[in-house]
Amino acid sequence: LHFMFALCFYDGMLTLVEVNHSALLVEITSSSSERAKYNAFSATFAGLGSLSSLVGHASWSKESLLYFRITCFGIAVLSSVIFFVTHDILLGVSGTPSSPRSVRTVSCGACCPGTSANSNVSNGNGSAMALRESEWTK
């Protein structure tokens, strides 16, 4: 029962991290060359991070778990420090705690009474379907 809970919890947390990590790359840049560069950094540091499992395996002993526990605690502390340092670096680069891309919304008279559409494309009943390219690339 403990193993099943630990495995499900691990998979859930890994999914939580991986989904956000995958979605973040799309939000950072639309340039293919920059995405490739960021993917290379990600792969490099993922490889370095996987070395922690080798360190944990080397410190494992059936007789005494003390060294293994110290190793796990050290890895957790090191990971936390690296996380907070990179967080501060990224805040310094972006200048704001969160800088999501600007999202343009289109309102239509059909679903939002009293508002006007910002588009020249309509579906026949007056509701806006799409923005002109010059409007959504600003």
Side-chain angles (χ1 to χ4, degrees), residues 107-129:
S107 58
C108 64
C111 64
C112 309
T115 60
S116 62
N118 296 330
S119 174
N120 63 345
V121 179
S122 107
N123 65 0
N125 66 3
S127 64
M129 297 299 292

Side-chain angles (χ1 to χ4, degrees), residues 89-100:
I89 290 170
L90 289 175
L91 278 181
V93 170
S94 70
T96 59
S98 63
S99 54

Side-chain angles (χ1 to χ4, degrees), residues 53-121:
S53 63
L54 292 175
V55 173
H57 181 71
S59 65
W60 176 258
S61 172
K62 286 183 179 180
E63 290 79 34
S64 174
L65 293 178
L66 178 66
Y67 295 117
F68 180 72
R69 289 177 181 159
I70 291 171
T71 301
C72 290
F73 182 76
I75 290 171
V77 168
L78 181 65
S79 298
S80 298
V81 167
I82 291 171
F83 174 81
F84 286 113
V85 167
T86 55
H87 174 263
D88 290 342
I89 290 170
L90 289 175
L91 278 181
V93 170
S94 70
T96 59
S98 63
S99 54
R101 283 194 266 167
S102 174
V103 176
R104 293 187 171 267
T105 58
V106 176
S107 58
C108 64
C111 64
C112 309
T115 60
S116 62
N118 296 330
S119 174
N120 63 345
V121 179

